[in-house]
Amino acid sequence: MTNVKVNSVAKTYGTTPVLADITTEFPEGSFTSLLGPSGSGKTTLLRIIAGFIKPDQGVVMIGNNDVTDVPVWGRNIGMMFQSYALFPHMTIAQNVAFGLERRGIKGAEARKEVDRALEMVRLPGFGDRTPKQLSGGQQQRVALARAIVIKPSVLLLDEPLSALDRRLRQEMQVELLRIQRESGLTTIFVTHDQEEALTLSDKVAILDKGRIVQIGEPETVYEKPLTRFAAEFLGDSNFLTGTVENGAVRLADGSVVKSTSALPANGSTVTLAIRPEKMAITSGDTADNSIKARITTVIYAGPVLSYHLETADGVPLKLFAQNRDGTVLKEGDEISLGWSAEHTVAVAD
Amino acid sequence: MKSLGRFYLIATLVFLYTPILVMMAMGFNESQLYELPFTFSMRWYDALWNNKILLTAGMNSIIIALITSVLATALGTMASVALSRRTFRGKSLLQLMLLPPIAIPWLITGTAMLIFFYWTGIGRGMHALLIGHVALAIPYVVLVVGTGFRTIRADLEEAAMSLGSTPVHAFFSVTLPLLYPSILGAALFAFAVSLDQFVISYFLATPGYTTLPVQIYSSIRKGFTPEINAISTVLLLGSMTVILIFARFAKPGDTSDKR
Ligand SMILES: Nc1ncnc2c1ncn2[C@@H]1O[C@H](COP(=O)(O)OP(=O)(O)O)[C@@H](O)[C@H]1O
Ligand SMILES: [Mg+2]
């Protein structure tokens, strides 16, 4: 229950920079997701915080302690591994008690803590079983109990849910969030699943090529992406490119798009991101911005219709529409799209 | 198909065990010249009891095999830990170099050792036998323990370290218990390699210090009595007991509790 800070942390393997000058803070009791594509350095950052990897430069702080030179076993971290990593030759109770024993807690006191932890993950009375007698989801809960029973300063999770099927995964997300709230543990959660990151987190950090390109609350990161990469990786985005002209953006076809974002100087080129669900099919110029496009593909997904479109200039667009009245447009239909200036976000490339 | 398979298995066992059973039976036969009809007698066991040379050779064999087993298992397991869990220069070469000694004919290895030991002043005798046997057994141990290592995930030790274990504690509390069956199997292997060893022992033994296979060989050349059958039976039953105890406790082949 402490805040965690990393300051100017960098790591290079051979000649490949894997992390480049990462500085960020994980506030006490918060749930932060590290989100990014495979190879963006999420695991490396998490393992640096855990103490498995020594950074080439920079400082890791847990609470007020500089732990950069402290090995894993001296850091008081709770870690959950993708493979659960339960000790197969020990019972569930022995697994959970392992960290307590390392801290000199034994006997009745340890048993009480183990029972409490197993209760917290909803596996009371499972102490005498062995890991192989448990299902994947149950093993996962045990791994979580083992990590939290030691009251770690920080809970670190590296894609712990990615091995589970969809239903179990959603169930575990809810459990994880409940347990994190109950325990108040500062939690850092690595995932490449954007929906998981949005639903679970107080803060989302988007990593790209070893850098944190944006960190903030889920709404902020989703609604106001700072870069094209962030807009594209977290959710879907449409992009329009134009030239700044008197506080608005003129596209190649001559039409003008308004945005409430701060725009660069007149004459510079700018990319605008608009979420597909923020666009609507309109008749006439009722919205701040509008554009004409032709439908190229229709994807019927039940509650939501997803249209792929193309403007006269050949710019591809996506549109998500609620399936409210049951009308489904067809390929080749020409439609007019409207959206507001507020949902038009200028992003860096 | 199934009955054919069973027939095949039974035939194999018959061909394997019949000579051994005949050998054992002849140890209880009165006749010195292995003549029939069979007359039960403990005569050869009595004779064996008084045959100091054979008994000493038998004891030597067992002592050498035990020491070899302990040393080779300890050294081989340590080598296996390094090869499985660490990265260092020349590792793949080292790993590769472990295999040829298993395939090189013992006659060649034995000759090489004899020359080398003569040259370096190590000479012959018990210490030379021990060095030779340990060197022979280590590759088997590394192979068996290395296979065991492959079934243990590296993240188990990491999990232990995240819970407060030093690397040494993590190894002893997590990896070693899981490796235990493999290490036991390797020890048994090393024991068998040493106990079985004839060629190298023949080269490195001295007139005053021999092992059982070497002694049996020289007895056979001089003309022998069923005392040889008696000591072979004792040794055989001894090794069988060790193997059965091992099979009972270590359940070789059972990896069901390791993911
Ligand atoms: N031990 C290592 N040696 C060399 N390269 C590594 C090592 N560990 C990771 N990398 C490289 O660092 C990059 C980031 O890896 P990682 O942190 O695992 O990314 P992520 O978890 O986001 O998928 C990858 O390109 C990977 O190949
Ligand atoms: Mg990863």
Side-chain angles (χ1 to χ4, degrees):
Chain A
M1 275 175 258
T2 339
N3 66 336
V4 175
K5 273 185 267 185
V6 292
N7 219 320
S8 307
V9 160
K11 180 74 195 172
T12 300
Y13 284 116
T15 54
T16 338
V18 173
L19 289 179
D21 199 30
I22 301 249
T23 298
T24 192
E25 188 175 345
F26 305 91
E28 179 169 340
S30 67
F31 192 122
T32 307
S33 288
L34 301 178
L35 177 69
S38 172
S40 55
K42 309 181 293 290
T43 297
T44 307
L45 179 56
L46 197 78
R47 290 173 70 84
I48 284 176
I49 296 170
F52 286 116
I53 301 174
K54 210 171 149 39
D56 299 338
Q57 62 160 72
V59 171
V60 179
M61 302 272 296
I62 298 181
N64 293 322
N65 305 319
D66 178 348
V67 295
T68 316
D69 294 319
V70 178
V72 193
W73 52 92
R75 287 196 185 185
N76 196 37
I77 52 152
M79 184 136 184
M80 214 168 130
F81 295 79
Q82 192 177 338
S83 65
Y84 322 136
L86 296 182
F87 307 131
H89 58 302
M90 298 182 192
T91 64
I92 299 307
Q94 286 169 335
N95 263 280
V96 179
F98 190 92
L100 293 175
E101 203 169 298
R102 294 307 294 158
R103 285 158 178 74
I105 302 169
K106 294 195 174 94
E109 197 188 343
R111 263 198 303 281
K112 214 178 73 195
E113 292 288 329
V114 168
D115 287 347
R116 234 169 51 89
L118 286 177
E119 216 149 280
M120 197 159 191
V121 298
R122 309 226 160 125
L123 289 174
F126 276 65
D128 291 333
R129 304 199 194 180
T130 60
K132 69 175 171 184
Q133 292 172 321
L134 267 54
S135 72
Q138 290 172 329
Q139 291 187 23
Q140 183 119 50
R141 286 158 196 259
V142 175
L144 186 58
R146 185 178 66 177
I148 61 175
V149 76
I150 57 173
K151 302 196 171 62
S153 306
V154 54
L155 181 61
L156 306 171
L157 309 105
D158 192 353
E159 311 207 15
L161 308 183
S162 61
L164 302 179
D165 64 49
R166 204 181 132 81
R167 270 192 71 96
L168 205 53
R169 191 185 171 110
Q170 288 173 342
E171 229 172 84
M172 272 307 288
Q173 287 176 1
V174 175
E175 288 285 278
L176 188 60
L177 201 57
R178 174 182 65 77
I179 289 164
Q180 194 269 337
R181 292 292 184 244
E182 277 177 34
S183 60
L185 288 171
T186 309
T187 303
I188 307 175
F189 180 87
V190 164
T191 180
H192 62 258
D193 182 329
Q194 37 138 334
E195 202 181 309
E196 196 166 88
L198 287 176
T199 38
L200 292 177
S201 318
D202 298 316
K203 271 179 150 189
V204 177
I206 299 183
L207 269 84
D208 180 31
K209 301 192 189 85
R211 289 174 192 281
I212 293 183
V213 294
Q214 188 169 6
I215 180 165
E217 288 169 13
E219 292 97 72
T220 316
V221 178
Y222 185 79
E223 302 293 342
K224 302 286 177 207
L226 292 177
T227 67
R228 188 183 174 116
F229 175 84
E232 227 167 4
F233 191 73
L234 191 66
D236 267 307
S237 247
N238 292 316
F239 296 104
L240 297 171
T241 308
T243 317
V244 180
E245 207 180 282
N246 305 323
V249 178
R250 184 175 291 281
L251 304 184
D253 66 357
S255 62
V256 172
V257 173
K258 286 180 223 135
S259 166
T260 54
S261 293
L263 294 171
N266 271 352
S268 33
T269 308
V270 68
T271 302
L272 301 171
I274 308 111
R275 297 288 184 192
E277 72 279 7
K278 301 283 164 56
M279 291 182 151
I281 300 161
T282 51
S283 45
D285 293 343
T286 48
D288 295 343
N289 297 309
S290 74
I291 198 165
K292 286 198 163 49
R294 190 173 49 80
I295 296 177
T296 54
T297 314
V298 179
I299 298 165
Y300 179 87
V304 176
L305 298 165
S306 159
Y307 296 109
H308 291 198
L309 310 119
E310 205 177 80
T311 66
D313 289 347
V315 178
L317 294 176
K318 269 188 211 164
L319 167 73
F320 298 152
Q322 287 293 325
N323 185 7
R324 201 167 285 123
D325 49 15
T327 44
V328 180
L329 298 171
K330 292 185 301 295
E331 273 173 39
D333 285 357
E334 297 275 351
I335 59 170
S336 187
L337 299 173
W339 72 96
S340 81
E342 193 197 338
H343 296 139
T344 311
V345 184
V347 293
D349 272 311
Chain B
M1 263 335 271
K2 210 170 147 190
S3 59
L4 187 69
R6 183 174 303 159
F7 170 77
Y8 196 75
L9 183 66
I10 290 173
T12 307
L13 289 176
V14 165
F15 275 107
L16 251 155
Y17 280 99
T18 311
I20 294 175
L21 289 175
V22 169
M23 185 278 295
M24 288 170 113
M26 283 306 169
F28 295 100
N29 190 13
E30 174 78 30
S31 164
Q32 177 167 0
L33 301 170
Y34 297 93
E35 286 164 328
L36 294 174
F38 184 88
T39 324
F40 182 82
S41 155
M42 289 300 284
R43 175 180 169 194
W44 304 115
Y45 283 82
D46 287 337
L48 175 65
W49 193 240
N50 294 312
N51 188 338
K52 284 282 171 293
I53 296 176
L54 262 191
L55 281 184
T56 310
M59 265 332 273
N60 288 348
S61 266
I62 288 171
I63 289 168
I64 295 252
L66 279 177
I67 300 177
T68 298
S69 176
V70 170
L71 289 181
T73 305
L75 293 172
T77 301
M78 285 193 262
S80 206
V81 171
L83 289 172
S84 308
R85 288 286 189 266
R86 309 242 178 279
T87 45
F88 51 87
R89 277 175 68 100
K91 175 172 147 179
S92 3
L93 183 71
L94 263 180
Q95 214 150 10
L96 207 68
M97 293 297 289
L98 272 168
L99 293 177
I102 294 177
I104 293 173
W106 280 336
L107 196 62
I108 294 173
T109 316
T111 314
M113 278 184 181
L114 184 62
I115 295 170
F116 179 72
F117 287 1
Y118 174 73
W119 225 37
T120 50
I122 293 172
R124 301 190 298 167
M126 182 183 182
H127 62 290
L129 276 168
L130 268 179
I131 296 173
H133 284 200
V134 169
L136 267 193
I138 283 179
Y140 293 95
V141 173
V142 176
L143 270 186
V144 173
V145 177
T147 308
F149 250 113
R150 238 155 285 146
T151 65
I152 302 173
R153 304 182 55 111
D155 58 11
L156 290 182
E157 274 184 35
E158 289 188 345
M161 284 191 251
S162 77
L163 293 165
S165 284
T166 60
V168 172
H169 182 267
F171 177 77
F172 281 103
S173 61
V174 175
T175 307
L176 203 59
L178 294 173
L179 215 50
Y180 186 63
S182 308
I183 293 176
L184 219 59
L188 199 73
F189 230 114
F191 185 84
V193 164
S194 166
L195 199 66
D196 245 10
Q197 189 45 247
F198 169 69
V199 182
I200 287 170
S201 302
Y202 185 68
F203 284 172
L204 299 178
T206 59
Y209 191 90
T210 60
T211 61
L212 191 64
V214 177
Q215 190 55 48
I216 290 179
Y217 178 70
S218 34
S219 308
I220 289 175
R221 284 205 316 179
K222 281 183 231 143
F224 58 99
T225 65
E227 281 167 74
I228 302 290
N229 297 50
I231 190 148
S232 304
T233 304
V234 171
L235 214 65
L236 197 86
L237 292 180
S239 335
M240 291 268 268
T241 315
V242 172
I243 289 179
L244 290 179
I245 289 173
F246 168 75
R248 175 75 189 73
F249 285 102
K251 301 198 189 83
D254 176 15
T255 51
S256 55
D257 58 354
K258 294 174 213 151
R259 276 179 298 123

